[in-house]
Amino acid sequence: MILYLVREHDMPLMDHITNLEVSKSNEVTENSKSSATATISFSENEYFSNSTLTLKVFFEDADALSEESDPVKIVGTEINWKDGKNLTKVKTTKK
């Protein structure tokens, strides 16, 4: 579930992970039959001030952790990036 969301620009943060907890639920919502929640804890780092980030992925299948399950919705913690350290933004220079 998590690995397909990790991009190369995320790699500097991997050394700061201190704990990872994953749980699944068969709670049915309007568009999904199951969900999985990942909570990732981080040590102090230069990128953001959050100590934990939570990601909840909703699936159309009843088996949330099956490789065949397609996500229908993803909800996550808002990341409090430190100034100039947002790993999702590309730095460009003008000529």
Side-chain angles (χ1 to χ4, degrees):
M1 174 182 92
I2 298 295
L3 292 180
Y4 78 92
L5 297 172
V6 176
R7 304 287 184 248
E8 189 168 334
H9 64 257
D10 299 318
M11 296 313 289
L13 285 169
M14 298 300 109
D15 289 337
H16 294 284
I17 294 175
T18 59
N19 192 39
L20 172 64
E21 294 179 20
V22 178
S23 62
K24 70 177 194 170
S25 170
N26 289 329
E27 173 188 352
V28 177
T29 66
E30 183 178 325
N31 297 319
S32 68
K33 294 181 181 170
S34 63
S35 65
T37 302
T39 302
I40 308 167
S41 300
F42 293 89
S43 60
E44 180 80 23
N45 63 77
E46 65 183 279
Y47 301 102
F48 53 77
S49 59
N50 307 69
S51 60
T52 61
L53 298 177
T54 300
L55 184 70
K56 188 166 188 174
V57 183
F58 297 88
F59 296 93
E60 60 186 25
D61 243 351
D63 187 2
L65 299 178
S66 164
E67 288 186 27
E68 291 81 33
S69 292
D70 291 322
V72 293
K73 181 178 178 182
I74 300 174
V75 178
T77 305
E78 182 175 340
I79 299 173
N80 299 318
W81 295 104
K82 294 181 179 177
D83 288 339
K85 295 296 184 173
N86 187 334
L87 295 174
T88 66
K89 293 190 177 182
V90 178
K91 296 177 185 173
T92 59
T93 56
K94 293 183 180 182
K95 292 183 179 183

